[in-house]
Amino acid sequence: MTPFAEIFHGDRILEIKMQSNEKNTFDFEAFVLFEQILNKHANNPNLRVLLFTSAQTQFFSNGIEPTLMYGKTESDVRKSVEQLLRTAQTYFHFPVPTIAVVNGHCMAAGAVFALFSDYRYMVDKGARIGFSEAIVGLNFPSIPTIILQDLVGVKVTRDLLFTGKQIKGPEAKEIGLVDELFSAESLFAESLKFAESLAKLTNNSSRGMKTALREPYRKKMESLFQIDADLFTKVILSPDGQEGFLSLIEKRRPKFIT
């Protein structure tokens, strides 16, 4: 099964549905394929809206597949980190509005993709969203930190990152991390309904507004890319970073050295 399904609703709304595994984790091939899919549709003149969804019910996305980063060479880890950052930035700059339909747990790199969406609609019960990197001994790249600060403020970002707190839908909406909450039964229908309203935009409006919102970040992202890649690679390869990923593989609490 391919990690993603591409579904058109009419000719103006594209749904990209994650279906990689039960937790929708990203391995290297999934990052590459997702970037390829985004680039394939970016110049479609009919496209107005992208829905980013999950075929799973318990997880929207649990982020990086831990086996991707554990026990690998420096070269392999760097290659994966740079691909992750490139794919996330490609999604961030996708030229029409994006809506993340968060129907389950949304963690780490999965939460970054939700953060990089223009809108986040989340299930009201039974799911959490969070940036859990600190819990497994990792750092957090500066690029999504900037976006998160702009969305929810410096103090809230500080607390989310240092604690790795995974919050429920009502709190996520209260701090502005998600836009709307819906029941599991109505989440997709409500998300599609909103997408249909955005699909009425002209091509110039859809793409022009997105450019206005995203372009101010482009040079900053480009300037920070290598810094983020270098530090994230270094931390992943550290003993504590490796222990963090091993703990995820073994489904236990990490036992850090430092």
Side-chain angles (χ1 to χ4, degrees):
M1 178 186 294
T2 178
F4 304 94
E6 301 164 61
I7 305 164
F8 270 96
H9 302 270
D11 63 350
R12 291 191 168 199
I13 300 172
L14 170 64
E15 177 187 355
I16 298 178
K17 180 177 290 187
M18 294 180 286
Q19 52 185 25
S20 58
N21 52 53
E22 64 179 11
K23 293 185 178 181
N24 275 332
T25 53
F26 284 80
D27 60 15
F28 184 80
E29 290 72 21
F31 283 128
V32 171
L33 180 58
F34 189 32
E35 183 182 25
Q36 291 173 345
I37 291 171
L38 292 169
N39 287 331
K40 178 176 71 172
H41 294 288
N43 295 320
N44 179 348
N46 295 320
L47 191 63
R48 300 291 188 274
V49 189
L50 170 62
L51 284 167
F52 191 28
T53 69
S54 166
Q56 311 304 334
T57 56
Q58 188 174 359
F59 284 88
F60 173 75
S61 172
N62 207 39
I64 298 172
E65 172 57 42
T67 56
L68 179 63
M69 300 298 187
Y70 179 72
K72 299 299 190 294
T73 66
E74 190 275 343
S75 176
D76 285 341
V77 170
R78 179 175 295 278
K79 181 180 178 182
S80 295
V81 166
E82 291 183 350
Q83 183 62 55
L84 160 61
L85 296 177
R86 279 195 303 271
T87 303
Q89 289 189 41
T90 299
Y91 181 71
F92 181 81
H93 288 291
F94 193 72
V96 299
T98 54
I99 305 168
V101 185
V102 182
N103 64 328
H105 298 309
C106 181
M107 302 298 167
V112 170
F113 281 110
L115 172 67
F116 278 13
S117 303
D118 293 288
Y119 296 91
R120 285 155 295 280
Y121 279 19
M122 186 174 178
V123 67
D124 59 354
K125 297 177 182 178
R128 293 177 181 266
I129 184 170
F131 307 92
S132 53
E133 282 78 2
I135 296 175
V136 290
L138 302 178
N139 68 313
F140 194 69
S142 56
I143 292 171
T145 299
I146 292 169
I147 307 305
L148 186 59
Q149 287 181 161
D150 286 350
L151 183 65
V152 302
V154 174
K155 290 184 178 180
V156 174
T157 297
R158 173 199 65 192
D159 294 342
L160 288 173
L161 295 186
F162 277 126
T163 65
K165 185 178 181 182
Q166 300 155 36
I167 59 178
K168 297 178 181 179
E171 184 178 353
K173 184 178 180 182
E174 182 180 353
I175 65 174
L177 183 56
V178 302
D179 295 284
E180 298 291 347
L181 301 175
F182 296 101
S183 68
E185 294 76 18
S186 64
L187 176 62
F188 181 77
E190 292 291 344
S191 301
L192 182 59
K193 180 179 178 181
F194 180 62
E196 288 170 344
S197 70
L198 291 178
K200 296 176 183 178
L201 291 168
T202 66
N203 186 44
N204 287 334
S205 293
S206 176
R207 292 172 180 267
M209 299 305 180
K210 183 64 178 275
T211 298
L213 288 165
R214 297 308 206 205
E215 198 61 29
Y217 291 99
R218 189 178 296 276
K219 287 186 178 179
K220 187 174 292 187
M221 285 184 160
E222 291 172 353
S223 69
L224 292 171
F225 182 93
Q226 204 57 55
I227 294 172
D228 278 350
D230 290 346
L231 182 56
F232 203 33
T233 298
K234 179 180 179 180
V235 171
I236 289 170
L237 290 168
S238 71
D240 285 333
Q242 288 294 286
E243 166 60 17
F245 279 109
L246 181 59
S247 72
L248 293 173
I249 294 170
E250 296 181 345
K251 299 180 181 180
R252 58 170 174 79
R253 292 182 179 275
K255 300 175 183 178
F256 297 125
I257 299 171
T258 59

